Amino acid sequence: GGTRTPAFLHGPGLEPRVEERMFHVTDWYPTLLEALNKQPSGQTIDGVSGWKGLTNTSENWTRNEMVYNIMTDEEHPYSPVSAIRIGDWKYLWRVTGDDGWQKPPEGRNTQGTQG
């Protein structure tokens, strides 16, 4: 499955649309810096700028991979548990069914019995 998160970005050169391409939270900083025509200062950053792809939909997108959920020994008994997505493919490693995620509100039984 994919990961989707709502976001809103408005500015010159941006057309209203739903963006389907991959964007990680670490990409916001370099993207906003490029929009302001600035360079990051200090240490190397993890994110990549998506500004060219946001302003020109025919531009190649800079991110096509994402690492998910790397849990180490301290955090998970079946460590490490992780996943990586490259393009439309996602590889899950050492998934045991105990992912620690909570059911969404509509999937929870609020009457006190197991659901």
Side-chain angles (χ1 to χ4, degrees), residues 78-98:
Y78 306 107
S79 177
V81 175
S82 60
I84 186 169
R85 178 178 166 193
I86 300 175
D88 291 334
W89 291 88
K90 185 187 277 184
Y91 176 72
L92 306 171
W93 189 49
R94 297 190 77 178
V95 175
T96 63
D98 173 24

Side-chain angles (χ1 to χ4, degrees), residues 68-88:
Y68 295 85
N69 301 342
I70 297 179
M71 294 187 209
T72 61
D73 288 328
E74 303 85 43
E75 299 165 332
H76 200 278
Y78 306 107
S79 177
V81 175
S82 60
I84 186 169
R85 178 178 166 193
I86 300 175
D88 291 334

Side-chain angles (χ1 to χ4, degrees), residues 10-12 19 22 29 31 43 51 60 62 65 72 78 91 98 102 107-108 110:
H10 177 75
E19 183 57 65
M22 202 178 306
Y29 182 59
T31 299
Q43 296 180 350
W51 186 246
N60 286 335
T62 51
E65 81 291 324
T72 61
Y78 306 107
Y91 176 72
D98 173 24
Q102 298 293 320
R108 293 186 203 141
T110 58

Side-chain angles (χ1 to χ4, degrees), residues 3-113:
T3 302
R4 303 284 188 256
T5 303
F8 179 85
L9 187 61
H10 177 75
L14 298 174
E15 298 177 19
R17 68 177 184 273
V18 174
E19 183 57 65
E20 297 288 338
R21 297 177 288 183
M22 202 178 306
F23 195 89
H24 190 269
V25 67
T26 60
D27 298 337
W28 279 112
Y29 182 59
T31 299
L32 294 173
L33 283 177
E34 186 174 349
L36 297 170
N37 201 25
K38 301 287 184 184
Q39 295 294 319
S41 60
Q43 296 180 350
T44 304
I45 56 176
D46 290 331
V48 294
S49 175
W51 186 246
K52 287 183 179 80
L54 290 170
T55 56
N56 180 357
T57 57
S58 64
E59 180 78 25
N60 286 335
W61 200 246
T62 51
R63 178 172 296 285
N64 69 350
E65 81 291 324
M66 192 176 305
V67 176
Y68 295 85
N69 301 342
I70 297 179
M71 294 187 209
T72 61
D73 288 328
E74 303 85 43
E75 299 165 332
H76 200 278
Y78 306 107
S79 177
V81 175
S82 60
I84 186 169
R85 178 178 166 193
I86 300 175
D88 291 334
W89 291 88
K90 185 187 277 184
Y91 176 72
L92 306 171
W93 189 49
R94 297 190 77 178
V95 175
T96 63
D98 173 24
D99 61 12
W101 288 58
Q102 298 293 320
K103 288 184 179 180
E106 63 273 11
R108 293 186 203 141
N109 184 339
T110 58
Q111 303 304 317
T113 58

